[in-house]
Coordinates of all heavy atoms in Angstrom, one line a residue:
H3 N -21.6 47.1 50.0 CA -20.9 45.9 50.2 C -20.1 45.6 48.9 O -20.7 45.6 47.8 CB -21.8 44.8 50.5 CG -21.1 43.5 50.6 ND1 -20.2 43.2 51.6 CD2 -21.1 42.4 49.9 CE1 -19.7 42.0 51.5 NE2 -20.2 41.4 50.4
V36 N -19.8 33.1 39.7 CA -19.4 31.7 39.3 C -19.1 30.9 40.6 O -18.3 31.3 41.3 CB -18.2 31.6 38.3 CG1 -17.9 30.2 38.0 CG2 -18.5 32.4 37.1
N42 N -18.5 18.4 44.7 CA -19.7 17.9 43.9 C -19.4 17.9 42.4 O -20.3 17.4 41.7 CB -21.0 18.6 44.2 CG -21.4 18.5 45.7 OD1 -21.2 17.4 46.3 ND2 -21.9 19.5 46.2
I86 N -26.4 27.0 34.0 CA -26.6 28.4 33.9 C -27.8 28.7 34.8 O -28.9 28.0 34.6 CB -26.9 28.8 32.4 CG1 -25.7 28.4 31.5 CG2 -27.2 30.3 32.4 CD1 -26.1 28.5 30.0
S134 N -36.0 63.4 43.0 CA -35.5 64.3 44.0 C -36.5 64.4 45.2 O -36.8 65.5 45.6 CB -35.2 65.6 43.4 OG -34.2 65.5 42.5

Side-chain angles (χ1 to χ4, degrees):
H3 175 68
V36 178
N42 296 324
I86 303 166
S134 299

